[in-house]
């Protein structure tokens, strides 16, 4: 089955009790038992919920996995994955990581004895240099935020597998439509379904997908034992969002390509970061492991001041100034003061994250309107 068909049909049957074509929201905390221990597979809704079960089957299919386990947020999903590790274990990740993931690794799991290293993962040598006998997991994010660097998933997974190290890919930025890390050798895929999978900026949700039965069993245990489960209405909203995932991402990628081209030719823009450009350092990797080049575009202004950035941010009408990404609506953000404010200035500048860097999450509106909106905001400079 191809992707669009899976998005709409995989794991989804008319509801067995009523024939409802769309998966109902089973808004219940418990289920009647005929006799003690005699039931239809559902006992208590932290452990099992039919709306959630359908979503998990669907998500597994989208990532070409056997098992999916859902959580109340992307970070709750990550927390469950990291709990597969033990105190004293080491993890290697990117120095250009989602801020919330960095915070959880260092300030939450660090307190319980996890040691995390952050390296430029585009450079395989920098990963190999940090591997030792305690290394248990590589945590990959690609494309990265907001610099849109590419990590070669297959190469990193091959390196890890040779040494018995698990790999997990945070696939949030690409979405399952653009990239399927399990096919490239990853052990685990994690999503903040809050972003492209949900796609309508109306729900917080997380998911983990794997082909490894033992990992799936441990995650299922953690889902129930810790209890960071999504409610049935949230699962319904994610299921509804998924039905148009391929259409939304396809259109958003087309829009992003045209916007990136417009920005690259604009006299007020010094540099545009977009993996679809043939001179982007990760272009060949993106071409190899992604279906399209994504719908995130970052750009830097010709004069590097906060004032310049603020002028653009304050004057777009269609692009809303907000955190997050992956919704149908276009968003504009300022990493230096918003998502990456906690990173020291020198560290930011080392990777090109300047005060005038602007990040776009391109939505599915008509691209002519989006370009006109950016053009009039840039004209104020
Ligand atoms: C948003 C995001 C997360 C966290 O997900 P939540 O659903 O907000 O908890 C993790 N990784 C990436 C790349 C994200 O964009």
């Amino acid at each position: 089955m191809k992707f669009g068909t899976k998005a709409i049909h995989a794991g989804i049957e008319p509801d067995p009790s009523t024939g409802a074509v769309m998966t109902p929201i089973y808004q219940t905390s418990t289920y009647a038992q005929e006799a003690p221990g005699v039931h239809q597979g559902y006992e208590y809704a932290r452990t099992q919920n039919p709306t959630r079960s359908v979503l998990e089957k669907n998500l597994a299919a989208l990532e070409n996995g056997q098992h999916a386990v859902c959580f109340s947020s992307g970070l709750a999903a990550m927390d469950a994955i990291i709990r597969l590790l033990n105190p004293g274990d080491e993890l290697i990740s990117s120095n250009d990581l989602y801020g919330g993931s960095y915070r959880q690794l260092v300030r939450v799991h660090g307190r319980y004895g996890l040691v995390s290293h952050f390296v430029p993962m585009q450079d395989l040598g920098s990963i190999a240099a940090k591997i030792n006998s305690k290394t248990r997991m590589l945590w990959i994010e690609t494309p990265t935020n907001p610099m849109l660097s590419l990590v070669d998933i297959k190469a990193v997974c091959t390196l890890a597998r040779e040494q018995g190290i698990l790999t997990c890919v945070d696939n949030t930025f690409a979405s399952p439509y653009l990239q399927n890390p399990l096919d490239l050798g990853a052990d685990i895929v994690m999503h903040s379904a809050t972003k492209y999978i949900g796609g309508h900026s109306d729900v917080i949700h997380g998911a983990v997908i794997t082909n490894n039965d033992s990992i799936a069993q441990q995650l299922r245990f953690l889902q129930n034992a810790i209890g960071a489960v999504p409610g049935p209405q949230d699962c319904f909203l994610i299921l509804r969002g998924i039905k148009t995932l391929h259409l939304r991402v396809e259109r958003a990628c087309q829009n992003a390509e045209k916007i990136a081209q417009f920005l690259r030719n604009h006299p007020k823009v010094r540099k545009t970061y977009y993996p679809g450009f043939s001179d982007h350092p990760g272009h060949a990797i993106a071409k190899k492991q992604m279906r399209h080049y994504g719908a995130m575009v970052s750009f830097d202004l010709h004069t590097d001041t906060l004032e310049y950035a603020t002028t653009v941010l304050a004057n777009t009408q269609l692009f809303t100034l907000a955190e997050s990404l992956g919704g149908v609506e276009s968003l504009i953000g300022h990493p230096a003061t918003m998502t990456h404010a906690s990173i020291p200035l020198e560290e930011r500048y080392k990777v090109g994250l300047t005060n005038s860097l602007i990040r776009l999450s391109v939505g599915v509106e008509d691209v002519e309107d989006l370009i006109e909106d950016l053009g009039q905001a840039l004209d104020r400079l």
Side-chain angles (χ1 to χ4, degrees):
M1 227 188 268
K2 293 206 165 147
F3 192 93
T5 312
K6 282 197 284 191
I8 291 161
H9 293 290
I12 300 167
E13 300 285 343
D15 181 56
S17 52
T18 63
V21 169
M22 287 300 147
T23 308
I25 302 169
Y26 281 88
Q27 193 77 52
T28 187
S29 63
T30 190
Y31 308 86
Q33 306 197 2
E34 267 174 54
V38 182
H39 53 74
Q40 299 175 41
Y42 295 94
E43 294 154 281
Y44 184 64
R46 175 167 22 78
T47 323
Q48 314 101 346
N49 178 281
T51 318
R52 191 176 89 202
S53 304
V54 170
L55 173 59
E56 287 175 338
K57 286 197 190 93
N58 185 256
L59 281 168
L62 295 186
E63 280 289 9
N64 302 328
Q66 291 297 315
H67 315 277
V69 186
C70 287
F71 294 89
S72 55
S73 72
L75 286 183
M78 177 178 190
D79 178 62
I81 299 166
I82 302 302
R83 284 173 199 266
L84 299 170
L85 308 177
N86 290 312
D89 285 354
E90 298 196 6
L91 174 148
I92 302 171
S93 189
S94 164
N95 63 350
D96 189 11
L97 192 67
Y98 175 73
S101 304
Y102 174 84
R103 180 177 59 202
Q104 184 181 109
L105 287 171
V106 173
R107 293 180 57 189
V108 180
H109 298 292
R111 285 182 54 206
Y112 297 94
L114 178 74
V115 179
S116 296
H117 302 282
F118 302 94
V119 303
M121 289 185 110
Q122 313 81 279
D123 169 18
L124 273 186
S126 75
I127 304 174
K130 283 285 180 217
I131 292 179
N132 63 44
S133 60
K134 292 181 181 159
T135 311
R136 289 286 174 271
M137 186 179 281
L138 305 187
W139 185 275
I140 304 164
E141 208 180 282
T142 179
T144 64
N145 171 30
M147 302 315 300
L148 302 172
S149 304
L150 270 287
V151 178
D152 187 332
I153 298 174
K154 198 169 188 172
V156 174
C157 292
T158 305
L159 173 73
R161 187 144 299 189
E162 282 164 2
Q163 319 218 24
I165 299 167
L166 289 174
T167 44
C168 177
V169 177
D170 178 342
N171 204 25
T172 302
F173 255 53
S175 89
Y177 179 61
L178 297 186
Q179 180 169 282
N180 297 120
L182 298 180
D183 295 347
L184 302 166
D187 297 294
I188 305 169
V189 178
M190 170 255 167
H191 278 283
S192 166
T194 311
K195 316 294 169 53
Y196 287 104
I197 292 180
H200 295 74
S201 305
D202 53 8
V203 57
I204 299 280
H205 188 103
V208 187
I209 301 106
T210 182
N211 273 319
N212 182 312
D213 295 344
S214 152
I215 289 175
Q217 207 173 10
Q218 293 173 68
L219 289 170
R220 188 67 68 197
F221 168 79
L222 289 164
Q223 181 193 41
N224 184 50
I226 295 170
V229 293
Q233 168 128 5
D234 288 353
C235 293
F236 171 87
L237 286 171
I238 298 292
L239 272 168
R240 166 180 259 212
I242 287 172
K243 294 187 199 302
T244 54
L245 176 61
H246 51 304
L247 305 175
R248 289 185 283 105
V249 175
E250 188 76 36
R251 172 65 171 263
C253 289
Q254 283 168 14
N255 285 356
E257 185 176 347
K258 292 190 183 124
I259 288 171
Q261 208 49 260
F262 165 78
L263 291 168
R264 188 180 170 116
N265 295 326
H266 199 285
K268 302 280 167 64
V269 175
R270 190 177 59 78
K271 189 167 163 86
T272 305
Y273 298 88
Y274 171 65
F277 291 146
S278 58
D279 57 356
H280 182 286
H283 180 72
I285 296 167
K287 197 167 181 170
K288 189 174 67 167
Q289 72 189 18
M290 296 174 77
R291 195 194 284 256
H292 299 300
Y293 300 105
M296 301 299 295
V297 180
S298 295
F299 63 103
D300 208 343
L301 301 171
H302 73 346
T303 305
D304 177 23
T305 66
L306 275 178
E307 253 177 296
Y308 258 61
T310 313
T311 302
V312 176
L313 298 163
N315 283 296
T316 54
Q317 307 294 323
L318 291 173
F319 281 86
T320 305
L321 179 62
E323 292 194 7
S324 199
L325 63 126
V328 287
E329 75 295 347
S330 292
L331 299 180
I332 189 164
H334 187 233
T337 56
M338 292 166 71
T339 45
H340 293 66
S342 59
I343 302 174
L345 187 118
E346 310 83 72
E347 293 298 314
R348 282 201 278 112
Y349 271 76
K350 265 189 224 159
V351 296
L353 207 166
T354 63
N355 284 339
S356 57
L357 187 82
I358 292 174
R359 189 193 85 174
L360 304 176
S361 167
V362 178
V364 303
E365 301 94 333
D366 286 299
V367 72
E368 296 81 3
D369 293 327
L370 295 177
I371 288 175
E372 193 182 308
D373 189 34
L374 288 171
Q376 62 81 27
L378 286 166
D379 284 347
R380 312 219 180 193
L381 298 177

